Amino acid sequence: MVSTRELLELGYSSSAVSRYRVEGVLTQRRRGVWIFGNPVLSQLGEWHAAVRSAPGTAALGGFDSAAYWKFTRRRRWRRIDVVSDRECRRRFDDMRVAYMGNVAQRSVMVGRLRVLTPAWTLVMLAPRVPVGELTAMIRQAVFLGVLNVDELLSIAAERSRLPGGSNLRAALRAYIDGDEGSDSRLEDDVKLYLPEIDGDPIRQNLRVQVGDKHYRLDLAYEGLKIAVEPGAGHHDEKVEARNNRVRRRALESIGWTLIDIRAADFDADPIRATQPARELILERASILETARAGGAPICNFREQSGEIADG
């Protein structure tokens, strides 16, 4: 792979470059980027071509940078994400060039490819992904040893007004607290209809260990040992249904109560679908509060723009 500028610096004229293109010696992969012959580029080659075709100092960013560092679960996206320290008004069919200042300080050279650091990759993705997915990315990056959480905390504190700053802070809190957040809109919607219990906040994707295995609970009251499972009941595969039964028995053996809420029932009538869960949660919370010999009020409902009715 070679750029037009490099060819000119080597002494080739523009007419020679055009002739080599007609003869098939050079193939233009992107604007200003050439490859010898007509080979099929690997993913790494496509990243190289995209970064080299961007103006100014450019680096791989977004989901492509996350894929390079291997802390995203996504496998396909429409366009290659590139960041540059120079404004780019050209439009690309399969490439997105976003402006970012100080690209050289916020990226590293890996071989001949410049890539955003994992911390700045997460900052760039914060406005575009749910908090749960962002938390999972942080956890995976730390597990792989490519992310220093202190660096990310420092960026979040110093640049609190960055786009997606609230998402980034929520993901960091979830990572530090051990709560993975949610990447499901259904879970977030169901959560709005569940009561808040003082001293026992709703945990999303809480990890619970049973013996040598770990299970995740969608919406859980850790103190009450009640878990609400939105979307449950749709297990078409036999293996998945069997694993779900094993998981339920394991959790019930250590005192957990699991409540299933079907997506179709919730969409039809969210208040009626969540009523059994609310009644059980409030009943158990009342029993625990009585056992503690009184105290502050134990629960209140969230008010989201007046959409959730009391009780």
Side-chain angles (χ1 to χ4, degrees):
M1 188 178 299
V2 65
S3 66
T4 302
R5 183 181 61 185
E6 290 171 336
L7 288 171
L8 296 177
E9 290 175 352
L10 290 172
Y12 294 94
S13 63
S14 299
S15 60
V17 173
S18 299
R19 185 174 67 254
Y20 291 146
R21 178 182 184 179
V22 172
E23 294 173 353
V25 177
L26 291 175
T27 301
Q28 188 173 21
R29 181 61 189 89
R30 292 184 180 275
R31 182 170 180 174
V33 179
W34 305 84
I35 54 178
F36 288 94
N38 191 20
V40 177
L41 293 181
S42 64
Q43 181 64 71
L44 185 60
E46 295 288 355
W47 286 337
H48 270 283
V51 172
R52 298 185 74 170
S53 67
T57 301
L60 195 67
F63 286 113
D64 293 274
S65 177
Y68 181 86
W69 295 115
K70 300 180 180 178
F71 58 74
T72 180
R73 293 176 293 178
R74 300 197 187 195
R75 292 292 178 266
R76 292 184 179 181
W77 39 93
R78 293 184 178 180
R79 294 182 287 180
I80 296 178
D81 280 321
V82 175
V83 293
S84 173
D85 60 1
R86 186 184 300 175
E87 293 284 354
C88 180
R89 297 187 178 182
R90 297 201 309 263
R91 296 188 63 128
F92 301 89
D93 293 335
D94 57 348
M95 176 177 161
R96 179 191 292 113
V97 181
Y99 172 79
M100 176 181 282
N102 299 324
V103 170
Q105 287 75 30
R106 298 173 180 180
S107 60
V108 293
M109 290 295 297
V110 186
R112 298 180 62 191
L113 179 65
R114 183 176 291 278
V115 189
L116 275 186
T117 64
W120 279 103
T121 298
L122 291 165
V123 171
M124 182 180 178
L125 289 175
R128 300 168 56 186
V129 300
V131 173
E133 184 177 351
L134 197 62
T135 307
M137 287 183 176
I138 295 173
R139 180 170 285 103
Q140 182 67 10
V142 172
F143 173 77
L144 294 173
V146 298
L147 175 66
N148 183 348
V149 177
D150 292 336
E151 178 187 0
L152 190 58
L153 285 167
S154 176
I155 294 173
E158 293 176 0
R159 297 168 174 82
S160 58
R161 294 187 178 182
L162 279 173
S166 58
N167 276 7
L168 183 61
R169 290 191 295 274
L172 282 167
R173 283 196 301 269
Y175 168 76
I176 294 171
D177 295 341
D179 181 356
E180 294 195 10
S182 169
D183 55 5
S184 166
R185 292 187 181 276
L186 177 61
E187 289 180 21
D188 294 336
D189 291 342
V190 170
K191 183 179 178 181
L192 297 176
Y193 289 83
L194 299 179
E196 263 187 9
I197 305 300
D198 290 346
D200 193 4
I202 303 174
R203 305 284 297 276
Q204 294 186 257
N205 280 328
L206 176 69
R207 291 188 178 187
V208 176
Q209 183 173 358
V210 183
D212 58 346
K213 293 187 177 182
H214 289 81
Y215 299 100
R216 292 183 183 181
L217 301 175
D218 294 340
L219 299 168
Y221 293 85
E222 195 170 9
L224 302 179
K225 282 200 168 184
I226 295 177
V228 180
E229 304 278 284
H234 302 279
H235 301 287
D236 298 330
E237 297 292 337
K238 291 183 179 180
V239 174
E240 185 181 357
R242 182 189 62 197
N243 291 340
N244 186 61
R245 289 194 297 270
V246 171
R247 170 180 175 274
R248 178 178 289 271
R249 284 198 295 266
L251 290 167
E252 289 177 347
S253 69
I254 60 172
W256 280 91
T257 300
L258 274 64
I259 306 173
D260 296 339
I261 296 180
R262 296 172 63 95
D265 297 339
F266 181 81
D267 292 339
D269 190 340
I271 295 178
R272 177 175 295 181
T274 55
Q275 183 175 355
R278 286 200 304 273
E279 291 177 351
L280 180 61
I281 292 165
L282 294 175
E283 178 184 355
R284 190 168 295 183
S286 177
I287 294 173
L288 288 179
E289 185 65 18
T290 302
R292 292 171 186 165
I298 59 172
C299 64
N300 51 55
F301 283 91
R302 289 185 184 82
E303 294 182 2
Q304 299 288 336
S305 304
E307 294 177 358
I308 308 303
D310 180 75

